[in-house]
Amino acid sequence: MPPCRRVGGHVGAARAAAPVAAAVTAARRGGPFPWAMDGFVGRAAPRPAAQAGSALLPALHLPLLPPHLYRPATSHEYKLNFRKSKEACLSYIQDAMLQKQWKRAAEFLTFYIESLEKDFSTEYVGPSEMIWRIGTEILCHHSHSSMKEFNSFIEQMKTLGVKRYLKVCLEHAFHLLCNGRTDEAYQNLSLAESWRFGEQTTAQDKELKLIQAYRGLLDYYSWSKQKNVLLEYERGGFEDLSVEQEMHSSFRKAAVNLKEIIQIPGVWDLFVKCYVDFLKRHGEPKKSLISVLKILHDIVPSHELMIDFNIMLQKSKKRKKRRLGLEVIFAALDYAGWKENVKAWSCLARQVKQIIISEKHPDWIKQEWNSRKDWWPTFHFSRYLAKRNWQENESLAYEKAVVAGILLGKDCKYFKYVSHQGCKDQKKRFRTLKKFVNKHSSVYLRISGLSDSSV
Amino acid sequence: MEFPAALFPSFCGAGPPAEERGAAAAAGWGEHGQVLVGACRGPHAAETPFVARRGGAGESWEPAGVAAAPFLPPNAGCWVPSLMPQDILYRGVLRRKLRSGKSGAALDFTKQLGHFFVDHSEDAFGSLGQLLHKNFYLGNAKLRRQARDTTIRMTPLVEEINRLEARHGCPQQHLTSRVRWFSHLCRDWLFEVPLDLLADCVHDELVLQWASLLFDDSSTGGALAWLPPEDAGARTGRLVYPRGPAMNQLYFQDVVLGEVPRARGSPAQFELNGRIRQVAAAQVDGEGFVGVRSDYHCGVWRVRGRTGAAPAPLQVIRTSVPASCLTVSPHLPGELAVCTQSGAVYLWSVETGLQQLRQDPQTMFFRDHSPWRWSDFTAHPRVLSCADRTGLQCLDTRAPGRCHFDFFKVGEEAGCQQGERVVLPLYLGRAHPSQHLVATQFAVYVMDERLPLVPVLKWAHMMQDPPLFAHVVPGGPGRSHKLLLGASHTQELLLLQYTGGSKSACQLAGPPQKLHSISGCLQHLPQQLPHRHQLLQQRLGAPAAGLTAVLHAQGQRESLLVFQLSEAGDVFYQTLRHEAAQPSTADGEHKDEAAPSASPVVEALCGSAPSSPPGSNGEEEEEETFFLSNLEVIVNEEEEEEEEEAGTPAAPEEAQRPEEPCARCCPSPAVPSPAVALRYRRWLKALFRDQQELPQQAAGRAPPTISQKRLFTRQDLGPPAGPGTGTLHAWARQQLRRAMRERGRVRRWHPAPAPPPPPQPVDPAAWPDALSTRLTAAWAGDWSHWWEERLGLNMAQRQRALRERRRRQKRARGHRSLSASFTSSVTYQSELSELSDGPPGPGPPLSPGHPDALPQVLAEVWGGSPHHPPPSAEPLLSSQTLRSRGIPKERRKTLRDYLAVCADGAPETPPEPPGSQPCSQGGQLCIPSSQSQLSGSQPRRKRPRMGF
C-alpha cells in the first residue's frame, strides 16, 4: 500500500462533491463501514444509533447481498469469508453494470471499497485497480455525475497505487480530452510527465512515452493555432514577438516528443501525420509514388488506392506498367469488398477492352484469367448476381457484362441475361456491347484456351 | 474498401506476451483505450474533437421481456443428466484447492473403478467368479471344519470394507490387515481384464471427462443457425437446430418474425448418425447452405430461398479423426472449410470434393497441446484463415504450401496476456469484408486483414467462461455493428457494439450489455414442488449449445431477436427493442429511479434511498406474498390446465409482484407479460408430461416405487386347491388386485360400525349333536322336515337351494368391495351402473323385493349358518397350504397379512347391502376404520402392511 499522502486534504472536497471518493477515504482511514457513514457525507439521518444495526438490512435495500457480508468474522474464517464476500460483491457490481444499472452498481461499489482495508491479495490486479476501473466506468455513464466528481475521484485513485499512476493519469487526460477540456488535459499530462518514483517510473515506460507523445500532440495543436493567429496578424500588418516565441517553443517541444514516439514500433498514424505536416514533406515525385504503391499492392492488394494506382499505370507508356495495372485491378476484384464497386469494374472493363481492340497482349488476360476461371464465374458472374445487379445498379451490370462477355464468351449467363435485359429496354450501349462481344468472340476462345492450337 | 485515415495509436511489440495477470474481473471497464482526433477536425476549430476508442455512445437496445422465453416445446426425451464435477472428483478437495488454483483436481479414481466392478461384475470377474463361487462363503454361519480348508468367509471382509467406507475422510483411517491380505492375494488373477490395463483406461477416461468439464470445445461455433428469407423484406426465415434425445436430429423450422416469433408449419427433419456439434450456415446467391458437423461426419444441405421448399442434403464426408470445425463459404455456393483434430485443414467443395490445404499436428506459433483447429473464409474467396490455439494464419488455397501470412499471434503483437489462447475466430464479412473476430478466454479482438497482427480493436470481455459462440448483426451505414458473444457452461450472453472499419477507425460503442440467460427464467416460472424445481433447475441450467440473432424491422420499430439453444435441445428466445434517438444524457440511465435532486451516488452511500419503505415492513410483506404464492400454486397444480385454457393472464403471485421493484430497488420489472407467462406454462406442462411418459428407469431421480407386477405371480394367486376356500380366496384376491390397480392402500373393508348384535338367546350351533338338533327342530315345530333330511329324502332340493345361494353370495361380494374401496359418491354411482349391467341373476340385487335375503346369505358365507362351516382363513393362511402352492417363504407372510385383513371383523359385522344405505352414510362408512377399532376387536391379529 502506498502511503496515503493526499487523503487528508481531500476529505473536505469529497464531502461536498465526490461520494465515491469520499467512501474511499473513509475506508482507508480504517473508519466505520461505509453504510454507517451518514454523518460523514453530511446527509441528515434522524435514525437512532441503536436502530442502525438492526435496520441494516432494509436500509440497504440490497436483496442480493448475502448476509455474511455484514457479519464480522474472526481469524482464519474471516479471511476466507472476506474473500468470498468480496467476490460476491464484485459479481453483483459486474451484473449491475452489464445491465446498465449504474446506480445499483455504485451502491455495491461503496461496499466493495471496504476490500481496500484488508488488501491481502498478492494478485496483480488488486482491488484498488478494480475500484479505479469500475468507478471510472460508473462515473462515465452515470447520468448525475459531473466533471468535478470525476476529477476528485481520479485524484484519489492516483494516490491508491503507484503501480499504475501513469496509466491513471493518461486515462484521466483522455477523459478530459474527450470532454473538450484540452487545457486541463495538457496540465495533467505535463504533471504526469514530471512524475518520478524510482523504479516505478521505468516500469511504466510505455505509459510515459504515450504521455509525452500526447503532450507533443497538444503542443502541435497549440502551435498550429498560434500560427493561424500570427498569419492573421501579419495580414493585418502587426507583429507580435511573444506569440512568435511561444509558437517556437511549442514547435520545439512537440517535435522532440513526436519524433521520439515514432521511432518506437507501433501504430502511430496520429503522430506521424502531425510530424509529417510539420516537416512539410509534400510533392513526392511520381516515380517514387508508384514504387510505394507497388509495395502497398504487395501488402494490401485490396487497398482503396489500388484504383488510383491502376489508373496511373494504365496511362503509362511502358508495357510493363500497363501489365502491372491489369494485375492490380484483377487482384483487387478478387476481394469480396470490391464485388460491387462500379469504379473498379469500369477500370477492368476499360483495360480489357483496350487490350482486345489493340489486339496486343491478349496473353496478359489469359494469364490473369487462368488462376481465376474456376471460381470467378460463380463468384462474380452467376445468374443470380446478374438479376440482382441489374435491379440494383445498371451501370455495374453493364461494366461486369463487358468483362463477362470478353472473358466467358457470349454464352455466359451473366452476359446473356444483362444484354438481353438491356436490349429489351432499348438501351443503346447494350446493343453496341452485344455487337462488340460477337465481333471479338475469337478472343474468348483464345483466352479460355479452347483454341490453343490455332494460336 | 476504404481504409481509416488514422488508426488509434498502439505499441507493436514482438515476442511472447509480457503481461502477466490473471483473468481480471474488471479488466474491461474504465478505460478509454486511446484517443484520436475526430473526423471533423480543423486547425481553426477552437475545440479539437477527440474521440476515444472506448466510451462512445452506442445504440440503445432494451430487452423487451424480463427473461428468455421458450420458443419451441421442450425437447422430448432429453433427460440424461450431464456429468457434474462431484461425480468424478475426490470429495473434499474440490472447493479449496480448485478455487485457489494451486493444484489440479483430484479425481476419484477408486470410486469409478468401484462403480465398474459393481455395475459390470460379469465383465469384471465373470469367469473366475463362476469358478470360485463355491470357495467364497457369504453367509453368517460358521464354516464347518471340512469346508474351512477350501472356503473363505467373505462376510467379515465385506463388513470391514463397509466400515472403511463409513470412515471415509477420517485421518486415522488405515487398511486392516485382512483387506490388505486379500488384496495382495487376489489382485493379480481375480480380474477378467488385467487390473493395470483397466485402471489405465479408467484413468484416461476420467482425465478426458474432467478436461471436457473444465472446457469443452467440441461445440465451438454453436449448433443453431438462421437462414434469412431470400428477399430482405419477407418475414419468414428458417431456424436450423438439432433435437432429439441424443441431439442427432436436424430440424429446419420455418419461423415468422415479429416481436414474438412464431414457428410455422411442421419442421423438416433429418435423422443423423451422431450428436450434432455444430451447425453453420451461409447465404450465397439466394440459396442457403447449411453445414452440419458431428464428431466423425460432416454434411451439407442446400435450402432454396423460397419458403416451404424442402432442404436437400447434398453430400456427407466421414473423417477418421473427430472434426473440430466446419464453416460455410459466404462467397461461393457449396464450398466449406473443414478441420480435423489431427491438424488437417480441407477446402470442401460439393462439386470438386476435398482439397487438403494443410496437415500439421503441431501448432503454428508455439507449442500447445490442444488438437483443436479452426478455419474460416476471408474477404478473398480463395484465401482461408486457419487457426489453432496459438493464433491465425491465412492460406491461399491455390498454393497452400507457399502463400500464407500470419494474421494473429498470441503474443506481444496483439498485447495478449500470458496463458491466453484463441478460442473462437469468426469472419465478420457481413459487417465489413475484411474484418475478423478473434475471441480468447480473456478478450475479444477485431482484426483487419489489411493490417495483420495488430488488432484494430481489443476489449477484455470479462466473461467467466470462454465465449464459444459468436454472432454478428451488421449495422447499416452510420449504425453500429452488433456482436453477440455466448459462453457454454455459464450461459453468459453479451451484446457488444462497435463502429468503423472503413472510413473511421474501429471504436467500441457504448458499454457492453448482458442479455438474459436461459436459466434466468427459472425465477419467473410458477413455483414448483421441490423435486420438480430441481429437475427444472437442472434442465434450464444445461450448458448453452448455440446462438443466433435476427434483426427484424417493422416500419420504424426495430427489434433484435436472439435465439439460444441449450445442450438439452431447448430453444429459447428474447427480444431487444431499439430505442432510437434519445438525448444522450438520458442514455442508459432511465432505469434508475433516482431522485433527480440528490446525486445518486451520495444516496447510495447513505444507504437508505427515499424509495425504500421504512423499517422492516416491506420485507415482511414480501415474505408473505411469497409464502402465499407458494402455497397457492402447489394447491393449484392439478388445475393448471384449466387455468391456462381459461386464459387467465397471470397467476395471483404475478399480480402481487409489481410492488417488488420499489421495495427492493431492483430496477428490473419482474413480471413476464401474459403471453410469455402462457408460453412458460405451456412449456412446463409439456416438459413434465414428457418426463412422466419416460420409463421409470430412465428418469434419473424419480421417487422410487415398487413394481406391482412382480410381487405375486399368476401362479401364486392361482385357482385355489380346495373347493371350500375358493370363494374367499377369489374374493380376497379381487380385493388385493383392485387395491393394487388403484394404487391405493389395502384397508379393512368392513368399516361399518358394529350394529347391535341380534339377540340370540340360544345358539343352536353350540349343540351340534344329533339329539340337540332334533330337539331344536322339534321346538321349532319342524321335526318331520328334520327327519326327512336325516333320511336324505330332499337332497336334490337342497342342492338347488345351495346353488342359488352361491350366486347371490357372489353379488353380495361385489357390493362389499364397493362400499369398501370408494369414497366418492361419483365412483360409487358408476360402479352401481356397471353392476346393473351384469348378467341376470335370480333378481336384481338391489331390488327392494328381497330385503332380507342378502344378509342371510352373507351371514352364511361368514360362517353364520350351521350347515356350512365357515370357510375359515386358517387353511389358507397355514404355511403348509402356502408352501404347497409354491408361494415363496418371504411372500407368505405378506400374503397372510393381507388375507388376515380379509378375515378381520367380518364374522361379527356383515356389511349391509349398499342399496339399503343412503349415499351419504355410505360415504361415511367407507372411511377406513381407525387403529383402535381394529385392535379392540381383534387384538391378536397382525396389522396389515400399509403403503404398498
Side-chain angles (χ1 to χ4, degrees), chain A residues 301 330-331 333-335 367-376, chain B residues 347 355-357 378 380-384 395-404:
Chain A
F330 259 110
L333 281 168
D334 278 350
Y335 287 87
Q367 275 165 18
E368 292 300 324
W369 183 237
N370 259 342
S371 63
R372 293 181 173 87
K373 65 183 171 190
D374 56 335
W375 58 280
W376 264 42
Chain B
L347 177 68
Q355 181 197 353
Q356 191 178 59
L357 303 180
T378 64
H380 193 296
R382 294 286 109 183
V383 175
L384 258 64
L395 295 182
D396 195 317
T397 61
R398 294 165 294 190
R402 286 180 290 114
C403 269
H404 54 80

Coordinates of all heavy atoms in Angstrom, one line a residue, chain A residues 301 330-331 333-335 367-376, chain B residues 347 355-357 378 380-384 395-404:
Chain A
P301 N -3.4 -6.0 -51.3 CA -3.9 -5.8 -52.7 C -5.4 -5.3 -52.8 O -5.8 -4.9 -53.9 CB -3.9 -7.3 -53.2 CG -3.7 -8.1 -52.1 CD -3.1 -7.3 -51.0
F330 N -7.2 -6.8 -61.3 CA -7.7 -8.2 -61.2 C -7.7 -8.6 -59.7 O -8.6 -9.2 -59.1 CB -6.9 -9.2 -62.0 CG -7.6 -9.6 -63.3 CD1 -7.2 -9.2 -64.5 CD2 -8.8 -10.4 -63.2 CE1 -7.8 -9.5 -65.7 CE2 -9.4 -10.7 -64.4 CZ -8.9 -10.3 -65.6
A331 N -6.5 -8.3 -59.1 CA -6.3 -8.7 -57.7 C -7.3 -8.0 -56.8 O -7.8 -8.6 -55.8 CB -4.9 -8.4 -57.3
L333 N -10.2 -7.0 -57.5 CA -11.6 -7.6 -57.7 C -11.8 -9.0 -57.1 O -12.9 -9.5 -57.1 CB -12.0 -7.5 -59.1 CG -12.4 -6.1 -59.6 CD1 -12.5 -6.1 -61.1 CD2 -13.8 -5.7 -58.9
D334 N -10.6 -9.6 -56.7 CA -10.8 -10.9 -56.0 C -11.5 -10.8 -54.7 O -12.1 -11.7 -54.2 CB -9.4 -11.4 -55.8 CG -8.8 -12.1 -57.0 OD1 -9.5 -12.3 -57.9 OD2 -7.6 -12.5 -56.9
Y335 N -11.4 -9.6 -54.1 CA -11.9 -9.4 -52.7 C -13.4 -9.1 -52.7 O -13.9 -8.4 -53.5 CB -11.1 -8.3 -52.0 CG -9.7 -8.8 -51.7 CD1 -8.7 -8.6 -52.6 CD2 -9.4 -9.4 -50.5 CE1 -7.4 -9.1 -52.4 CE2 -8.2 -9.9 -50.2 CZ -7.2 -9.7 -51.2 OH -5.9 -10.2 -50.9
Q367 N -3.3 -15.1 -68.8 CA -2.5 -15.4 -67.6 C -3.3 -15.1 -66.3 O -3.4 -15.8 -65.4 CB -1.2 -14.7 -67.6 CG -0.1 -15.4 -68.4 CD 1.1 -14.5 -68.7 OE1 1.2 -13.5 -68.0 NE2 1.8 -14.9 -69.7
E368 N -3.9 -13.9 -66.3 CA -4.7 -13.5 -65.2 C -5.9 -14.4 -65.0 O -6.3 -14.7 -63.9 CB -5.1 -12.0 -65.3 CG -4.0 -11.0 -65.2 CD -3.3 -11.1 -63.9 OE1 -3.9 -11.3 -62.9 OE2 -2.0 -10.9 -63.9
W369 N -6.5 -14.7 -66.1 CA -7.7 -15.5 -66.1 C -7.5 -16.9 -65.6 O -8.4 -17.5 -65.0 CB -8.4 -15.4 -67.4 CG -9.7 -16.1 -67.5 CD1 -10.1 -17.1 -68.3 CD2 -10.9 -15.8 -66.7 NE1 -11.4 -17.4 -68.1 CE2 -11.9 -16.6 -67.1 CE3 -11.1 -14.9 -65.7 CZ2 -13.2 -16.6 -66.5 CZ3 -12.4 -14.9 -65.1 CH2 -13.4 -15.8 -65.5
N370 N -6.4 -17.5 -65.9 CA -6.1 -18.9 -65.7 C -6.4 -19.3 -64.2 O -7.0 -20.3 -63.9 CB -4.7 -19.2 -66.1 CG -4.7 -19.9 -67.4 OD1 -5.7 -20.4 -67.9 ND2 -3.5 -20.0 -68.0
S371 N -5.8 -18.4 -63.3 CA -6.0 -18.8 -61.9 C -7.3 -18.4 -61.4 O -7.6 -18.7 -60.2 CB -4.9 -18.0 -61.1 OG -5.1 -16.6 -61.2
R372 N -8.2 -17.8 -62.2 CA -9.5 -17.4 -61.7 C -10.6 -18.0 -62.3 O -11.8 -17.9 -61.9 CB -9.6 -15.9 -61.8 CG -8.6 -15.1 -61.0 CD -8.8 -13.6 -61.1 NE -8.0 -12.9 -60.1 CZ -6.7 -12.6 -60.3 NH1 -6.1 -12.9 -61.5 NH2 -6.0 -12.0 -59.4
K373 N -10.4 -18.8 -63.4 CA -11.5 -19.2 -64.2 C -12.3 -20.3 -63.5 O -13.5 -20.5 -63.9 CB -11.0 -19.7 -65.6 CG -10.2 -21.0 -65.6 CD -9.7 -21.3 -67.0 CE -8.7 -22.4 -66.9 NZ -8.1 -22.6 -68.3
D374 N -11.8 -20.9 -62.5 CA -12.5 -21.9 -61.8 C -13.5 -21.3 -60.7 O -14.4 -22.0 -60.3 CB -11.6 -23.0 -61.2 CG -10.6 -22.3 -60.2 OD1 -10.3 -21.1 -60.4 OD2 -10.1 -23.0 -59.3
W375 N -13.2 -20.1 -60.3 CA -14.2 -19.6 -59.3 C -14.8 -18.3 -59.6 O -15.8 -17.9 -59.0 CB -13.5 -19.6 -57.9 CG -12.2 -18.8 -57.9 CD1 -11.0 -19.2 -58.3 CD2 -12.1 -17.5 -57.3 NE1 -10.1 -18.2 -58.1 CE2 -10.7 -17.1 -57.5 CE3 -13.0 -16.6 -56.8 CZ2 -10.2 -15.9 -57.1 CZ3 -12.5 -15.4 -56.4 CH2 -11.1 -15.0 -56.5
W376 N -14.2 -17.5 -60.5 CA -14.8 -16.2 -60.8 C -16.2 -16.3 -61.4 O -17.1 -15.5 -61.0 CB -13.9 -15.4 -61.7 CG -13.1 -14.4 -61.0 CD1 -12.4 -14.6 -59.9 CD2 -12.8 -13.0 -61.4 NE1 -11.7 -13.5 -59.5 CE2 -11.9 -12.5 -60.4 CE3 -13.2 -12.2 -62.4 CZ2 -11.5 -11.2 -60.4 CZ3 -12.7 -10.9 -62.5 CH2 -11.9 -10.4 -61.5
Chain B
L347 N -10.4 -27.7 -47.8 CA -11.4 -27.0 -48.5 C -12.3 -28.0 -49.2 O -11.9 -28.8 -49.9 CB -10.8 -26.1 -49.6 CG -11.8 -25.3 -50.4 CD1 -12.5 -24.2 -49.5 CD2 -11.1 -24.6 -51.6
Q355 N -10.0 -30.8 -50.8 CA -8.7 -30.4 -51.1 C -7.9 -30.1 -49.8 O -8.3 -29.3 -49.0 CB -8.7 -29.1 -52.0 CG -7.3 -28.7 -52.4 CD -7.3 -27.2 -52.9 OE1 -8.3 -26.6 -53.0 NE2 -6.1 -26.7 -53.1
Q356 N -6.9 -30.9 -49.6 CA -6.2 -30.7 -48.3 C -5.3 -29.5 -48.4 O -4.5 -29.4 -49.4 CB -5.4 -31.9 -48.0 CG -4.8 -31.9 -46.6 CD -4.1 -33.1 -46.2 OE1 -3.1 -33.4 -46.8 NE2 -4.5 -33.8 -45.1
L357 N -5.4 -28.6 -47.5 CA -4.6 -27.4 -47.6 C -3.4 -27.5 -46.6 O -2.4 -26.9 -46.8 CB -5.4 -26.2 -47.1 CG -6.7 -25.9 -48.0 CD1 -7.4 -24.7 -47.4 CD2 -6.3 -25.8 -49.4
T378 N -12.2 -15.7 -45.8 CA -11.8 -14.3 -45.7 C -12.4 -13.5 -46.8 O -13.2 -14.0 -47.5 CB -10.3 -14.2 -45.7 OG1 -9.9 -14.6 -47.0 CG2 -9.6 -15.1 -44.7
H380 N -11.1 -12.7 -49.5 CA -10.8 -13.2 -50.8 C -11.3 -14.7 -50.8 O -11.0 -15.5 -49.9 CB -9.2 -13.2 -50.9 CG -8.8 -13.5 -52.3 ND1 -9.0 -14.7 -52.9 CD2 -8.1 -12.8 -53.2 CE1 -8.5 -14.7 -54.1 NE2 -7.9 -13.5 -54.3
P381 N -12.1 -15.0 -51.8 CA -12.7 -16.3 -51.8 C -11.7 -17.5 -51.8 O -12.1 -18.6 -51.5 CB -13.6 -16.3 -53.0 CG -13.8 -14.9 -53.4 CD -12.6 -14.2 -52.9
R382 N -10.5 -17.2 -52.3 CA -9.5 -18.3 -52.4 C -8.6 -18.3 -51.2 O -7.6 -19.1 -51.2 CB -8.7 -18.2 -53.7 CG -9.5 -18.4 -54.9 CD -9.8 -19.8 -55.1 NE -11.2 -20.1 -54.9 CZ -11.8 -21.3 -55.0 NH1 -11.1 -22.3 -55.2 NH2 -13.1 -21.4 -54.8
V383 N -8.8 -17.4 -50.2 CA -7.9 -17.4 -49.1 C -8.7 -17.8 -47.8 O -9.8 -17.3 -47.6 CB -7.3 -16.0 -48.9 CG1 -6.5 -15.9 -47.6 CG2 -6.5 -15.6 -50.1
L384 N -8.1 -18.7 -47.1 CA -8.8 -19.2 -45.9 C -7.9 -18.9 -44.7 O -6.7 -18.9 -44.8 CB -8.9 -20.7 -46.0 CG -10.3 -21.3 -46.3 CD1 -10.7 -20.9 -47.7 CD2 -10.3 -22.8 -46.2
L395 N -4.2 -18.7 -45.6 CA -3.6 -19.6 -46.6 C -4.3 -19.3 -47.9 O -5.5 -19.1 -48.0 CB -3.9 -21.0 -46.3 CG -3.3 -21.7 -45.1 CD1 -3.8 -23.2 -45.2 CD2 -1.8 -21.7 -45.1
D396 N -3.5 -19.3 -49.0 CA -4.1 -19.2 -50.3 C -4.3 -20.6 -50.8 O -3.4 -21.4 -50.8 CB -3.2 -18.5 -51.3 CG -3.9 -18.0 -52.5 OD1 -4.7 -18.9 -53.0 OD2 -3.7 -16.9 -52.9
T397 N -5.6 -20.9 -51.1 CA -5.9 -22.3 -51.5 C -5.3 -22.7 -52.8 O -5.1 -23.9 -53.1 CB -7.4 -22.6 -51.6 OG1 -7.9 -21.7 -52.6 CG2 -8.1 -22.3 -50.3
R398 N -4.9 -21.7 -53.6 CA -4.3 -22.0 -54.9 C -2.8 -22.5 -54.8 O -2.3 -23.2 -55.6 CB -4.3 -20.8 -55.8 CG -5.8 -20.4 -56.2 CD -5.9 -19.1 -56.7 NE -5.6 -18.0 -55.7 CZ -5.8 -16.7 -55.9 NH1 -6.3 -16.3 -57.1 NH2 -5.4 -15.9 -55.0
A399 N -2.2 -22.0 -53.7 CA -0.8 -22.5 -53.4 C -0.7 -22.6 -51.9 O 0.0 -21.8 -51.3 CB 0.2 -21.6 -54.0
P400 N -1.3 -23.5 -51.3 CA -1.4 -23.5 -49.8 C 0.0 -23.7 -49.1 O 0.2 -23.3 -48.0 CB -2.3 -24.7 -49.5 CG -2.4 -25.5 -50.7 CD -2.1 -24.6 -51.8
G401 N 0.9 -24.3 -49.8 CA 2.2 -24.6 -49.3 C 3.0 -23.3 -49.1 O 3.8 -23.1 -48.2
R402 N 2.9 -22.5 -50.1 CA 3.8 -21.3 -50.2 C 3.2 -20.0 -49.7 O 3.8 -19.3 -49.0 CB 4.3 -21.1 -51.7 CG 5.3 -22.1 -52.1 CD 5.7 -21.9 -53.6 NE 4.5 -22.1 -54.5 CZ 3.9 -21.2 -55.2 NH1 4.3 -20.0 -55.1 NH2 2.9 -21.6 -56.0
C403 N 2.0 -19.8 -50.1 CA 1.4 -18.5 -49.9 C 0.6 -18.4 -48.6 O -0.5 -19.0 -48.5 CB 0.4 -18.1 -51.0 SG 1.2 -17.3 -52.3
H404 N 1.2 -17.9 -47.6 CA 0.4 -17.6 -46.4 C 1.1 -16.5 -45.6 O 2.2 -16.2 -45.8 CB 0.3 -18.9 -45.5 CG 1.7 -19.5 -45.2 ND1 2.4 -19.0 -44.2 CD2 2.3 -20.5 -45.7 CE1 3.5 -19.7 -44.1 NE2 3.5 -20.7 -45.0

